[in-house]
Protein backbone atom coordinates (compact mmCIF):
# COMPACT_ATOMS: atom_id res chain seq x y z
CA UNK A 1 0.00 0.00 0.00
CA UNK A 2 2.78 2.43 0.85
CA UNK A 3 4.63 1.83 -2.43
CA UNK A 4 1.36 2.12 -4.34
CA UNK A 5 0.46 5.38 -2.61
CA UNK A 6 3.90 6.82 -3.32
CA UNK A 7 3.60 5.80 -6.98
CA UNK A 8 0.10 7.33 -7.33
CA UNK A 9 1.32 10.61 -5.80
CA UNK A 10 4.34 10.62 -8.15
CA UNK A 11 2.10 10.14 -11.21
CA UNK A 12 -0.26 12.85 -10.01
CA UNK A 13 2.60 15.29 -9.38
CA UNK A 14 3.48 15.20 -13.09
CA UNK A 15 -0.12 14.78 -14.34
CA UNK A 16 0.64 11.31 -15.72
CA UNK A 17 -2.61 9.32 -16.19
CA UNK A 18 -3.25 6.47 -13.77
CA UNK A 19 -4.51 3.22 -15.32
CA UNK A 20 -5.50 0.71 -12.65
CA UNK A 21 -6.25 -2.97 -13.26
CA UNK A 22 -8.20 -4.36 -10.30
CA UNK A 23 -8.19 -7.91 -8.98
CA UNK A 24 -8.48 -7.52 -5.21
CA UNK A 25 -10.22 -10.04 -2.95
CA UNK A 26 -10.50 -7.44 -0.18
CA UNK A 27 -8.95 -6.77 3.19
CA UNK A 28 -9.15 -9.42 5.88
CA UNK A 29 -10.69 -7.94 9.02
CA UNK A 30 -9.14 -8.68 12.37
CA UNK A 31 -6.84 -7.52 15.11
CA UNK A 32 -3.79 -9.19 13.57
CA UNK A 33 -4.27 -7.16 10.38
CA UNK A 34 -4.88 -3.98 12.39
CA UNK A 35 -1.64 -4.44 14.33
CA UNK A 36 0.15 -5.22 11.06
CA UNK A 37 -0.87 -1.82 9.68
CA UNK A 38 -3.32 -2.88 6.95
CA UNK A 39 -5.77 -0.13 7.84
CA UNK A 40 -3.10 2.56 8.36
CA UNK A 41 -1.28 1.70 5.14
CA UNK A 42 -4.51 1.23 3.17
CA UNK A 43 -5.55 4.71 4.27
CA UNK A 44 -2.45 6.13 2.58
CA UNK A 45 -3.41 4.47 -0.69
CA UNK A 46 -7.02 5.65 -0.53
CA UNK A 47 -5.83 9.17 0.27
CA UNK A 48 -3.46 9.18 -2.72
CA UNK A 49 -6.20 8.06 -5.14
CA UNK A 50 -8.74 10.49 -3.67
CA UNK A 51 -6.40 13.47 -3.87
CA UNK A 52 -5.11 12.73 -7.38
CA UNK A 53 -6.38 15.13 -10.05
CA UNK A 54 -4.73 13.49 -13.07
CA UNK A 55 -6.80 11.23 -15.40
CA UNK A 56 -7.80 7.97 -13.65
CA UNK A 57 -8.97 4.94 -15.65
CA UNK A 58 -9.88 1.67 -13.93
CA UNK A 59 -10.47 -1.82 -15.36
CA UNK A 60 -11.85 -4.53 -13.07
CA UNK A 61 -10.53 -7.83 -14.37
CA UNK A 62 -11.79 -10.23 -11.71
CA UNK A 63 -12.45 -9.62 -8.01
CA UNK A 64 -13.27 -6.21 -6.57
CA UNK A 65 -14.55 -6.76 -3.04
CA UNK A 66 -15.39 -4.43 -0.19
CA UNK A 67 -13.08 -1.68 0.90
CA UNK A 68 -10.37 -2.84 -1.46
CA UNK A 69 -12.72 -2.10 -4.38
CA UNK A 70 -13.33 1.41 -3.11
CA UNK A 71 -9.61 2.10 -2.66
CA UNK A 72 -8.62 1.11 -6.20
CA UNK A 73 -9.75 4.27 -8.02
CA UNK A 74 -13.47 3.53 -7.97
CA UNK A 75 -16.15 6.03 -9.00
CA UNK A 76 -16.50 6.83 -5.30
CA UNK A 77 -12.97 8.28 -5.36
CA UNK A 78 -13.49 10.43 -8.48
CA UNK A 79 -12.25 7.83 -10.94
CA UNK A 80 -12.90 9.23 -14.42
CA UNK A 81 -13.82 6.00 -16.17
CA UNK A 82 -14.41 2.56 -14.70
CA UNK A 83 -14.81 -0.59 -16.77
CA UNK A 84 -15.23 -4.23 -15.97
CA UNK A 85 -14.51 -7.34 -17.94
CA UNK A 86 -17.36 -9.86 -18.01
CA UNK A 87 -15.43 -11.86 -15.40
CA UNK A 88 -15.56 -8.95 -12.95
CA UNK A 89 -17.05 -9.55 -9.53
CA UNK A 90 -18.03 -6.31 -7.78
CA UNK A 91 -19.51 -6.99 -4.36
CA UNK A 92 -19.14 -6.25 -0.67
CA UNK A 93 -17.63 -9.69 -0.15
CA UNK A 94 -17.30 -13.07 -1.81
CA UNK A 95 -20.39 -15.20 -2.26
CA UNK A 96 -19.37 -17.89 0.23
CA UNK A 97 -18.75 -15.45 3.07
CA UNK A 98 -21.88 -13.42 2.33
CA UNK A 99 -24.11 -16.49 2.24
CA UNK A 100 -22.67 -17.75 5.54
CA UNK A 101 -23.65 -14.44 7.17
CA UNK A 102 -27.02 -13.80 5.48
CA UNK A 103 -28.47 -17.33 5.28
CA UNK A 104 -27.22 -19.11 8.40
CA UNK A 105 -28.61 -22.60 8.65
CA UNK A 106 -30.19 -22.54 5.17
CA UNK A 107 -29.28 -24.35 1.97
CA UNK A 108 -25.87 -22.75 1.50
CA UNK A 109 -25.14 -24.18 -1.97
CA UNK A 110 -28.46 -22.96 -3.41
CA UNK A 111 -28.22 -19.55 -1.78
CA UNK A 112 -24.61 -19.14 -2.91
CA UNK A 113 -25.65 -19.82 -6.51
CA UNK A 114 -28.47 -17.26 -6.23
CA UNK A 115 -26.12 -14.70 -4.68
CA UNK A 116 -23.58 -15.12 -7.49
CA UNK A 117 -26.25 -14.71 -10.18
CA UNK A 118 -27.88 -11.72 -8.51
CA UNK A 119 -25.02 -9.68 -7.06
CA UNK A 120 -21.60 -10.93 -8.07
CA UNK A 121 -21.45 -9.73 -11.65
CA UNK A 122 -20.53 -6.47 -13.35
CA UNK A 123 -24.01 -5.84 -14.76
CA UNK A 124 -25.44 -5.04 -11.35
CA UNK A 125 -22.61 -2.55 -10.72
CA UNK A 126 -23.15 -0.99 -14.17
CA UNK A 127 -26.86 -0.53 -13.44
CA UNK A 128 -25.96 1.38 -10.29
CA UNK A 129 -23.38 3.57 -12.04
CA UNK A 130 -20.31 2.09 -10.33
CA UNK A 131 -19.01 0.85 -13.71
CA UNK A 132 -19.31 2.80 -16.96
CA UNK A 133 -19.32 -0.24 -19.21
CA UNK A 134 -18.68 -3.95 -19.33
CA UNK A 135 -16.06 -4.52 -22.03
CA UNK A 136 -14.43 -7.59 -23.50
CA UNK A 137 -10.73 -7.99 -22.67
CA UNK A 138 -9.72 -7.71 -26.34
CA UNK A 139 -11.21 -4.16 -26.52
CA UNK A 140 -9.51 -2.90 -23.36
CA UNK A 141 -6.51 -1.27 -25.05
CA UNK A 142 -8.72 0.56 -27.58
CA UNK A 143 -11.01 1.84 -24.81
CA UNK A 144 -8.10 3.06 -22.69
CA UNK A 145 -6.59 4.87 -25.69
CA UNK A 146 -9.96 6.57 -26.38
CA UNK A 147 -10.26 7.62 -22.75
CA UNK A 148 -6.70 8.95 -22.59
CA UNK A 149 -7.43 11.05 -25.67
CA UNK A 150 -10.65 12.33 -24.10
CA UNK A 151 -8.98 13.11 -20.76
CA UNK A 152 -5.71 14.61 -22.05
CA UNK A 153 -6.83 18.15 -21.19
CA UNK A 154 -8.47 17.27 -17.89
CA UNK A 155 -8.16 20.11 -15.44
CA UNK A 156 -9.48 19.35 -11.98
CA UNK A 157 -8.61 21.38 -8.93
CA UNK A 158 -9.08 20.34 -5.35
CA UNK A 159 -10.50 22.91 -2.92
CA UNK A 160 -7.84 25.32 -1.73
CA UNK A 161 -5.97 24.46 1.42
CA UNK A 162 -2.45 24.89 2.60
CA UNK A 163 -1.85 21.11 2.46
CA UNK A 164 -3.74 17.88 2.87
CA UNK A 165 -3.82 15.79 6.01
CA UNK A 166 -2.35 12.52 4.77
CA UNK A 167 -2.68 9.68 7.26
CA UNK A 168 0.78 9.15 8.72
Amino acid sequence: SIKGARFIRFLDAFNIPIVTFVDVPGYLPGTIQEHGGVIRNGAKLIYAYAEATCPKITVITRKAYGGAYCVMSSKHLRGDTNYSWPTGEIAVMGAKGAVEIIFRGGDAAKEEKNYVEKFQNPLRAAQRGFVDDVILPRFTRQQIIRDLELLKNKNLCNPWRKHGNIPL
Side-chain angles (χ1 to χ4, degrees):
S1 296
I2 295 171
K3 286 180 184 177
R6 190 175 294 126
F7 185 63
I8 296 301
R9 290 177 63 82
F10 173 81
L11 294 174
D12 188 47
F14 295 99
N15 205 37
I16 300 169
I18 300 168
V19 179
T20 307
F21 287 85
V22 179
D23 182 5
V24 186
Y27 295 128
L28 291 172
T31 55
I32 295 171
Q33 288 77 17
E34 285 182 40
H35 292 300
V38 168
I39 295 171
R40 182 180 63 249
N41 295 333
K44 292 174 184 174
L45 185 61
I46 197 169
Y47 185 89
Y49 269 116
E51 190 182 51
T53 58
C54 62
K56 295 184 277 188
I57 300 167
T58 304
V59 179
I60 298 168
T61 59
R62 212 169 60 104
K63 294 180 180 181
Y65 292 156
Y69 154 71
C70 292
V71 169
M72 301 297 287
S73 192
S74 68
K75 282 286 187 183
H76 311 302
L77 288 180
R78 300 187 307 172
D80 295 305
T81 54
N82 287 61
Y83 301 105
S84 177
W85 289 353
T87 55
E89 301 173 8
I90 300 111
V92 174
M93 61 191 327
K96 187 173 191 264
V99 167
E100 287 175 4
I101 292 169
I102 299 169
F103 303 104
R104 271 203 185 131
D107 184 7
K110 179 184 165 205
E111 295 299 342
E112 187 174 339
K113 184 176 182 257
N114 289 339
Y115 184 91
V116 169
E117 288 175 10
K118 193 171 185 181
F119 297 109
Q120 207 164 318
N121 64 64
L123 299 177
R124 186 78 163 196
Q127 288 172 342
R128 294 186 172 178
F130 301 154
V131 173
D132 293 311
D133 200 0
V134 178
I135 59 173
L136 294 172
R138 67 177 177 223
F139 297 123
T140 304
R141 181 176 294 158
Q142 295 165 352
Q143 190 64 49
I144 290 172
I145 290 168
R146 263 188 246 125
D147 288 344
L148 290 172
E149 186 64 31
L150 180 73
L151 295 166
K152 72 179 176 185
N153 295 323
K154 176 185 175 186
N155 188 12
L156 178 68
C157 296
N158 286 328
W160 185 90
R161 60 183 184 239
K162 186 174 178 181
H163 59 78
N165 191 15
I166 189 166
L168 300 171

Coordinates of all heavy atoms in Angstrom, one line a residue, residues 7 10 15 23-24 31 62 68-69 73 76 82-83 86-88 94 107 112 135 140 145 152-156 166:
F7 N 3.6 5.8 -5.5 CA 3.6 5.8 -7.0 C 2.4 6.6 -7.5 O 2.6 7.4 -8.5 CB 3.5 4.4 -7.5 CG 3.6 4.2 -9.0 CD1 4.7 4.6 -9.7 CD2 2.5 3.7 -9.7 CE1 4.8 4.5 -11.1 CE2 2.6 3.6 -11.1 CZ 3.7 4.0 -11.8
F10 N 3.3 10.2 -7.2 CA 4.3 10.6 -8.2 C 3.7 10.9 -9.5 O 3.9 11.9 -10.1 CB 5.4 9.5 -8.3 CG 6.4 9.7 -9.4 CD1 7.4 10.6 -9.2 CD2 6.2 9.1 -10.6 CE1 8.3 10.8 -10.3 CE2 7.1 9.3 -11.7 CZ 8.2 10.2 -11.5
N15 N 1.1 14.9 -13.5 CA -0.1 14.8 -14.3 C 0.0 13.6 -15.3 O -0.5 13.7 -16.5 CB -0.5 16.1 -15.1 CG -1.9 16.2 -15.4 OD1 -2.8 15.7 -14.6 ND2 -2.3 16.7 -16.5
D23 N -7.9 -6.5 -9.3 CA -8.2 -7.9 -9.0 C -7.8 -8.0 -7.5 O -6.7 -8.4 -7.1 CB -7.4 -8.9 -9.8 CG -7.8 -10.4 -9.5 OD1 -8.7 -10.6 -8.7 OD2 -7.2 -11.3 -10.0
V24 N -8.7 -7.6 -6.6 CA -8.5 -7.5 -5.2 C -9.6 -8.3 -4.4 O -10.7 -7.9 -4.5 CB -8.5 -6.0 -4.8 CG1 -8.0 -5.9 -3.3 CG2 -7.5 -5.2 -5.6
T31 N -7.8 -8.3 14.3 CA -6.8 -7.5 15.1 C -5.4 -7.7 14.6 O -4.6 -6.8 14.7 CB -6.9 -7.9 16.6 OG1 -6.8 -9.3 16.7 CG2 -8.3 -7.5 17.2
R62 N -11.2 -9.1 -12.4 CA -11.8 -10.2 -11.7 C -12.5 -9.8 -10.4 O -13.6 -9.3 -10.4 CB -10.7 -11.3 -11.5 CG -11.2 -12.7 -11.5 CD -10.0 -13.7 -11.5 NE -9.2 -13.6 -10.3 CZ -9.2 -14.4 -9.3 NH1 -10.0 -15.4 -9.3 NH2 -8.3 -14.2 -8.3
A68 N -11.4 -2.8 -0.5 CA -10.4 -2.8 -1.5 C -10.9 -2.3 -2.8 O -10.1 -1.7 -3.5 CB -9.8 -4.3 -1.6
Y69 N -12.1 -2.6 -3.1 CA -12.7 -2.1 -4.4 C -12.8 -0.6 -4.3 O -12.4 0.1 -5.3 CB -14.1 -2.7 -4.6 CG -15.0 -1.8 -5.4 CD1 -14.8 -1.7 -6.8 CD2 -16.0 -1.1 -4.9 CE1 -15.6 -0.8 -7.6 CE2 -16.8 -0.2 -5.6 CZ -16.6 -0.1 -7.0 OH -17.4 0.7 -7.7
S73 N -9.3 3.3 -7.1 CA -9.7 4.3 -8.0 C -11.2 4.0 -8.5 O -11.5 4.1 -9.7 CB -8.8 4.3 -9.2 OG -9.1 5.5 -10.0
H76 N -16.3 6.2 -6.6 CA -16.5 6.8 -5.3 C -15.3 7.7 -4.9 O -15.4 8.6 -4.1 CB -16.7 5.8 -4.2 CG -17.8 4.8 -4.6 ND1 -19.1 5.1 -4.9 CD2 -17.7 3.4 -4.7 CE1 -19.8 4.0 -5.2 NE2 -18.9 3.0 -5.0
N82 N -14.5 3.9 -15.3 CA -14.4 2.6 -14.7 C -15.1 1.5 -15.6 O -16.2 1.7 -16.0 CB -15.1 2.5 -13.3 CG -14.3 3.3 -12.3 OD1 -14.1 4.5 -12.4 ND2 -13.9 2.6 -11.3
Y83 N -14.3 0.5 -15.9 CA -14.8 -0.6 -16.8 C -14.6 -1.9 -16.0 O -13.9 -2.0 -15.1 CB -14.0 -0.6 -18.1 CG -14.1 0.6 -18.9 CD1 -13.1 1.5 -18.9 CD2 -15.3 1.0 -19.5 CE1 -13.2 2.7 -19.6 CE2 -15.4 2.2 -20.2 CZ -14.3 3.0 -20.2 OH -14.4 4.2 -20.9
P86 N -16.2 -9.0 -18.4 CA -17.4 -9.9 -18.0 C -17.1 -10.8 -16.8 O -18.0 -11.2 -16.1 CB -17.6 -10.7 -19.3 CG -17.1 -9.9 -20.4 CD -15.9 -9.1 -19.8
T87 N -15.8 -11.0 -16.5 CA -15.4 -11.9 -15.4 C -15.4 -11.1 -14.1 O -15.1 -11.7 -13.0 CB -14.0 -12.5 -15.6 OG1 -13.1 -11.4 -15.9 CG2 -14.1 -13.5 -16.8
G88 N -15.6 -9.8 -14.1 CA -15.6 -8.9 -13.0 C -16.6 -9.3 -11.9 O -17.7 -9.6 -12.2
G94 N -17.1 -11.9 -1.0 CA -17.3 -13.1 -1.8 C -18.6 -13.8 -1.5 O -19.1 -13.6 -0.4
D107 N -29.9 -23.6 3.0 CA -29.3 -24.4 2.0 C -28.2 -23.5 1.4 O -28.4 -22.7 0.4 CB -30.3 -24.8 0.9 CG -29.7 -25.7 -0.2 OD1 -28.5 -26.1 0.0 OD2 -30.4 -26.0 -1.1
E112 N -25.9 -19.6 -2.3 CA -24.6 -19.1 -2.9 C -24.8 -19.0 -4.4 O -24.3 -18.0 -5.0 CB -23.4 -20.1 -2.6 CG -22.1 -19.5 -3.0 CD -21.0 -20.4 -2.6 OE1 -21.1 -21.2 -1.6 OE2 -19.9 -20.3 -3.2
I135 N -16.8 -4.4 -20.8 CA -16.1 -4.5 -22.0 C -15.3 -5.9 -22.1 O -15.0 -6.4 -21.1 CB -15.1 -3.4 -22.3 CG1 -14.0 -3.3 -21.2 CG2 -15.8 -2.0 -22.4 CD1 -12.9 -2.3 -21.4
T140 N -10.0 -3.7 -24.5 CA -9.5 -2.9 -23.4 C -8.5 -1.8 -23.8 O -8.7 -0.7 -23.5 CB -8.9 -3.8 -22.3 OG1 -9.8 -4.8 -21.9 CG2 -8.4 -3.0 -21.1
I145 N -7.1 3.9 -24.8 CA -6.6 4.9 -25.7 C -7.6 6.0 -25.9 O -7.3 7.2 -25.9 CB -6.1 4.2 -27.0 CG1 -4.9 3.4 -26.7 CG2 -5.8 5.3 -28.1 CD1 -4.5 2.5 -27.9
K152 N -7.1 14.0 -22.0 CA -5.7 14.6 -22.0 C -5.7 16.1 -21.6 O -4.7 16.5 -21.1 CB -5.1 14.5 -23.4 CG -5.7 15.3 -24.5 CD -5.0 15.1 -25.8 CE -5.7 15.9 -26.9 NZ -5.2 15.7 -28.2
N153 N -6.8 16.8 -21.7 CA -6.8 18.2 -21.2 C -7.6 18.3 -19.9 O -8.1 19.4 -19.6 CB -7.4 19.0 -22.3 CG -6.6 19.1 -23.5 OD1 -5.4 19.1 -23.4 ND2 -7.2 19.1 -24.7
K154 N -7.7 17.2 -19.2 CA -8.5 17.3 -17.9 C -7.8 18.3 -17.0 O -6.6 18.3 -16.8 CB -8.5 15.9 -17.2 CG -9.1 15.9 -15.9 CD -9.0 14.5 -15.2 CE -9.6 14.6 -13.8 NZ -9.4 13.3 -13.1
N155 N -8.6 19.1 -16.4 CA -8.2 20.1 -15.4 C -9.1 20.1 -14.2 O -10.1 20.7 -14.3 CB -8.1 21.5 -16.1 CG -7.4 22.5 -15.2 OD1 -6.8 22.2 -14.2 ND2 -7.6 23.8 -15.6
L156 N -8.7 19.5 -13.2 CA -9.5 19.3 -12.0 C -8.7 19.9 -10.8 O -7.5 19.6 -10.7 CB -9.8 17.9 -11.7 CG -10.6 17.6 -10.5 CD1 -12.0 18.1 -10.6 CD2 -10.7 16.1 -10.2
I166 N -2.6 13.9 5.1 CA -2.4 12.5 4.8 C -2.2 11.7 6.0 O -1.6 12.1 7.0 CB -1.1 12.4 3.8 CG1 -1.0 11.0 3.3 CG2 0.1 12.8 4.5 CD1 0.0 10.8 2.2

